[in-house]
Amino acid sequence: MKKYMWSASLIFLAFAMNNSPTRGQGNGDQPEVILAVAPNYFPLALSTHTSGEVIVEVKINSEGVVTAVRAISGKAILIADSKYVARRWKFISTTDKRSTRTTRLTFVYRLVPKGTPIDQLLPLFKPPYRVEVSHVIPEK
C-alpha cells in the first residue's frame, strides 16, 4: 500500500492544450498549465497529523519555466514541499522573450481515515491551479 501511495503521489498530469498557434494565456492573463505536479505528503507533516492549504506565488519566464516561488500562506511544515513541487510545473510559452508572468498555485493536504477507498487517495487536479492530495491518517 505504501509503495502504491508513493507512486500515486508522484503522478504527473499534463493538461490538454490545443495545437492552435494563437493559444496563449488562457483566461485573461492567466498562463495555461502544460504540466502540473502533485506534492508528496511530507513524512513530518504526517507524523504531526498536519493538514491544510498552501498558496504559493510563482514567477514564470517566457519559456514557461517557473523561475521563482514565494509562499503566500500555509503551515510552515507544508510549505517547503509545496515550493519544491511548484518549481516543477510547466506553463505555455509566450512569444515575448522578455515576458515574466506571475500566478498562484494552491496545494491542499488532507488526512483521511483508514479504510478510505484507494481511488480517493489519488491526487486531484482542479484546473487551473489547484491540487489536492490525501493520505490516510498514520497510526501512532
Side-chain angles (χ1 to χ4, degrees), residues 6 27 84 115:
W6 177 254
N27 297 337
Y84 172 75

Side-chain angles (χ1 to χ4, degrees), residues 80-129:
D81 192 46
S82 299
K83 287 171 69 174
Y84 172 75
V85 168
R87 288 187 180 281
R88 297 171 60 196
W89 282 48
K90 303 287 183 222
F91 296 83
I92 197 162
S93 60
T94 63
T95 54
D96 180 3
K97 297 302 178 195
R98 295 173 289 156
S99 168
T100 299
R101 299 162 288 166
T102 303
T103 196
R104 292 183 178 186
L105 310 177
T106 302
F107 300 102
V108 179
Y109 298 82
R110 288 197 175 104
L111 291 171
V112 296
K114 186 175 182 177
T116 298
I118 196 78
D119 64 323
Q120 293 181 22
L121 296 175
L122 296 173
L124 180 61
F125 293 82
K126 294 185 174 182
Y129 308 122

Side-chain angles (χ1 to χ4, degrees), residues 38-42 45 50-55 75 77-85 106-112 130-135:
N40 293 315
Y41 220 115
F42 191 63
T50 303
S51 59
E53 183 176 282
V54 175
I55 298 173
K75 296 177 182 171
I77 199 167
L78 299 172
I79 288 175
D81 192 46
S82 299
K83 287 171 69 174
Y84 172 75
V85 168
T106 302
F107 300 102
V108 179
Y109 298 82
R110 288 197 175 104
L111 291 171
V112 296
R130 184 179 181 91
V131 181
E132 299 176 5
V133 293
S134 299
H135 198 287

